[in-house]
Amino acid sequence: MQTGKASWLRLRTPVLWLALLAAMGTLSLYASPYTVIMVTNILMYVILTVSWVLFSAPTGYISLATAAFFGVGIYTSATLGGQLPLPLIILTAGVASFVLAALVGALTLRLKGVYFAFFTFGLVELIKHLLLWYEVSVTGVRGRFVVSADNVTIYYIILGILVILLLTSYLIRRSRVGLALQAIGEGEDAAAHTGINVSAVKTFVFALSAVFAGAAGAAMATRWGYVDPYIAFDYLFSFTAVAMAVFGGLGRFEGPILGAVVFAFLRELLITRFPYVYMLVMGSVLVVTILYLPQGLVQLAQKSTWRRLRGHREPA
Amino acid sequence: MSLLEVEGITKNFGGLAAVSHVDLRVDEGEVVGLIGPNGAGKTTLFNLLSGALKPSSGAIRFRDENITGLKPHQICHKGLARTFQSVKVFGGMTASQNVLAGAIFGDRGQMSPKQAGKEAARLLEFVGLSAVAAAPARDLTLANQKRLEVARALATKPNLLLIDELMAGLNPTEVAQAMDLVAAIRKQGTTVLIIEHVMKAIMSICDRILVLHHGEKIAEGTPQEIATSRTVVEVYLGE
């Protein structure tokens, strides 16, 4: 009994992940077209959140540049749509975001704390307005139509990007780079004197995290059909990623995923069912979560949390 | 054979010369002490040697190579490691992860994870922290955090180890243990340059001592010579 339980515990996580992947991988066979679109949306937010976590959680650098990388992806898709096959467009978007993030990272990752957050926020606005100026004064258009793909294809592309992202995050956490990132988050000076090339590690992981936001942007653009700089470079995508990650909990691998899923689903549900009180309910849920579950939704998985919420005191 | 040779190193902060034209030489196998009043420029000198600060002028040669202006991680890879006056352990990581980081990154990633793990365990044993290997570093006592920094620095396989105040804030028993640790480090073949305020300790473990005052080197010699030097007694040791 005891050994059976132990081996189940060891296998439980991989088995659950595989079951989840199987369910997601066959979604279009049993779910309604609406469900497929909704799940695509949710997965897009999971990608933005997990890619943000990849760099920002271990290092403590709060990046608000997610929307910039997402937007670069969207515009790559808008510009190249129809000229290249979709997978190549998505790859190009990933590379473009990587290059942008590497450049920005090399220049700005020496900024600490709130300065870095401000700069990355500024980046979104900067690119948006540069693009707007370029489109209006050089190409003479304000928005662009994007060659569209069908919803099931987009769903599977988004799912594919997410699976690669999760594998990347998992492998990074277990690798030398993950150890280096953790050390950098704990103390950058000490990390450097311990032989870690701090700027190289930070820049590389920052750029790597941007690949996924860019790729997701390129895929999503094909569903939206029309984009302009305001739609593509909407800083809400940056804030939402941070909020979802914190909502779910940064302490554990599953936290941000759970946060993004619950957050995005709740929003979808509230907007469609209760359009008038949507913001009110959403705000209340966030406030209550932060108050009672400061470490995010994953805290619900701990027994001590339930005891505390029922009013019992923690044994000292 | 000389391991470290510093010529006329100077660091200005605005108009203030924190370190001014200091010459310094450390031979292989030595334990050299660096003493002086607070604000004398001892830690600044360490920051210059380890690459945390760039010198305003002067040159640093380490193992017959000019390392002036290199970045901290490059200097670490050359074989010069350090500890910090105000401890900078990786607080959220376990003691053994701290040392593991040193073993993995100090060696330019040439060690396999398995070797690195073994090396980390050996060094924790060496500094006497095996019992707390799995504890988060921030939960260790100050004395143990300082030992952990030594282990993390040793994990990078340094030829020269800069130790910045290993004994400040420790009780007499811990001071005696720290002195034993420095002796053991030298015995296993690492040269040591050490900043220390605990006179009893510095006098007994060092081969040579340098005295800094207002950023300048005012004396250099054996512990005996330093203890009896007129200038040193006046500015630092007191009558």
Side-chain angles (χ1 to χ4, degrees):
Chain A
M1 178 72 199
Q2 202 59 31
T3 50
K5 199 178 174 188
S7 63
W8 161 240
L9 278 177
R10 203 166 347 103
L11 282 173
R12 188 172 60 174
T13 315
V15 167
L16 285 179
W17 280 108
L18 281 177
L20 191 62
L21 184 63
M24 303 292 287
T26 51
L27 186 77
S28 63
L29 301 179
Y30 58 82
S32 70
Y34 168 73
T35 311
V36 171
I37 291 175
M38 187 183 72
V39 176
T40 307
N41 251 334
I42 293 176
L43 295 191
M44 174 199 85
Y45 279 111
V46 178
I47 292 173
L48 294 184
T49 306
V50 175
S51 73
W52 178 83
V53 167
L54 180 63
F55 173 74
S56 287
T59 57
Y61 279 81
I62 306 300
S63 162
L64 292 176
T66 308
F69 306 135
F70 190 60
V72 165
I74 291 172
Y75 259 81
T76 308
S77 200
T79 322
L80 296 178
Q83 298 174 31
L84 288 176
L86 192 54
L88 265 185
I89 290 176
I90 288 165
L91 204 65
T92 312
V95 172
S97 295
F98 182 92
V99 171
L100 173 69
L103 282 174
V104 170
L107 286 172
T108 62
L109 280 169
R110 73 190 70 184
L111 300 173
K112 299 230 166 109
V114 74
Y115 300 102
F116 179 74
F118 266 110
F119 183 90
T120 50
F121 175 62
L123 182 71
V124 180
E125 292 296 296
L126 178 72
I127 298 181
K128 180 200 291 174
H129 288 284
L130 267 179
L131 186 64
L132 205 58
W133 169 83
Y134 178 82
E135 293 282 56
V136 169
S137 59
V138 179
T139 54
V141 296
R142 181 154 181 293
R144 286 167 182 264
F145 289 97
V146 188
V147 177
S148 56
D150 74 287
N151 291 327
V152 174
T153 311
I154 297 171
Y155 168 74
Y156 283 113
I157 288 174
I158 287 283
L159 181 63
I161 296 172
L162 177 61
V163 170
I164 298 172
L165 168 61
L166 289 177
L167 281 175
T168 309
S169 303
Y170 179 76
L171 292 176
I172 286 228
R173 275 169 78 108
R174 294 172 57 100
S175 72
R176 283 165 203 274
V177 178
L179 184 66
L181 274 183
Q182 212 185 344
I184 289 168
E186 296 283 350
E188 225 167 303
D189 293 338
H193 287 288
T194 308
I196 296 170
N197 187 344
V198 172
S199 1
V201 171
K202 282 192 302 190
T203 308
F204 170 70
V205 179
F206 186 57
L208 186 65
S209 76
V211 169
F212 299 97
M220 291 310 288
T222 62
R223 196 166 77 68
W224 293 336
Y226 170 84
V227 294
D228 68 25
Y230 287 97
I231 298 173
F233 293 88
D234 181 347
Y235 57 76
L236 272 179
F237 286 117
S238 294
F239 288 112
T240 311
V242 183
M244 286 175 168
V246 174
F247 179 62
L250 292 174
R252 294 183 52 173
F253 185 71
E254 302 86 356
I257 305 172
L258 185 68
V261 169
V262 175
F263 195 121
F265 178 73
L266 203 62
R267 198 160 80 161
E268 192 83 19
L269 190 78
L270 290 172
I271 286 182
T272 48
R273 297 282 170 80
F274 312 99
Y276 299 106
V277 291
Y278 144 66
M279 274 298 204
L280 186 71
V281 178
M282 202 67 208
S284 312
V285 170
L286 285 183
V287 169
V288 169
T289 309
I290 295 294
L291 276 180
Y292 292 98
L293 301 170
Q295 277 142 53
L297 289 182
V298 282
Q299 254 187 302
L300 289 174
Q302 294 162 6
K303 285 204 184 93
S304 58
T305 306
W306 290 101
R307 236 180 286 135
R308 185 166 54 79
L309 291 179
R310 270 190 243 112
H312 289 283
R313 289 210 137 237
E314 289 272 338
Chain B
M1 199 191 110
S2 88
L3 188 61
L4 176 75
E5 270 178 273
V6 177
E7 264 171 52
I9 201 161
T10 299
K11 179 69 190 179
N12 299 313
F13 293 116
L16 174 84
V19 169
S20 172
H21 303 288
V22 170
D23 295 329
L24 160 71
R25 184 193 151 117
V26 179
D27 288 335
E28 223 160 276
E30 276 191 303
V31 173
V32 177
L34 191 57
I35 64 172
N38 286 324
K42 304 182 296 292
T43 295
T44 305
L45 183 57
F46 267 26
N47 284 338
L48 292 167
L49 297 180
S50 63
L53 292 173
K54 295 218 185 321
S56 310
S57 64
I60 307 166
R61 293 186 65 79
F62 181 65
R63 297 168 76 201
D64 293 324
E65 201 178 341
N66 189 356
I67 61 161
T68 324
L70 291 189
K71 298 232 169 68
H73 70 272
Q74 295 170 317
I75 290 184
C76 172
H77 291 156
K78 299 276 180 203
L80 198 163
R82 70 170 297 179
T83 71
F84 299 89
Q85 183 179 12
S86 49
V87 285
K88 291 186 180 176
V89 293
F90 303 134
M93 291 157 60
T94 66
S96 75
Q97 280 177 317
N98 269 263
V99 186
L100 192 69
I104 286 180
F105 301 110
D107 210 27
R108 288 174 175 243
Q110 278 162 18
M111 225 183 251
S112 76
K114 206 173 169 185
Q115 278 175 304
K118 265 189 196 159
E119 180 65 6
R122 184 186 74 77
L123 282 165
L124 281 173
E125 168 97 54
F126 178 73
V127 298
L129 292 180
S130 298
V132 290
R138 70 164 70 92
D139 293 347
L140 305 187
T141 62
L142 179 66
N144 282 348
Q145 290 192 4
K146 293 197 164 195
R147 284 173 168 264
L148 182 59
E149 279 204 345
V150 170
R152 184 178 65 192
L154 284 176
T156 68
K157 294 203 182 339
N159 303 83
L160 175 64
L161 176 61
L162 311 181
I163 302 179
D164 199 345
E165 294 211 27
L166 182 58
M167 302 170 200
L170 305 193
N171 68 39
T173 322
E174 291 167 340
V175 167
Q177 288 165 345
M179 284 167 68
D180 291 343
L181 180 60
V182 176
I185 292 169
R186 158 198 247 168
K187 205 172 154 202
Q188 59 124 48
T190 308
T191 309
V192 176
L193 179 60
I194 183 168
I195 295 176
E196 200 47 80
H197 280 296
V198 180
M199 271 314 126
K200 190 187 82 178
I202 202 106
M203 290 295 172
S204 65
I205 56 178
C206 295
D207 303 306
R208 280 190 303 124
I209 293 174
L210 273 77
V211 188
L212 283 189
H213 185 53
H214 292 320
E216 289 172 24
K217 187 169 83 177
I218 58 162
E220 182 175 357
T222 63
Q224 183 63 31
E225 287 162 357
I226 295 298
T228 53
S229 152
R230 198 66 228 149
T231 9
V232 177
V233 171
E234 266 166 24
V235 306
Y236 184 50
L237 298 178
E239 300 285 349

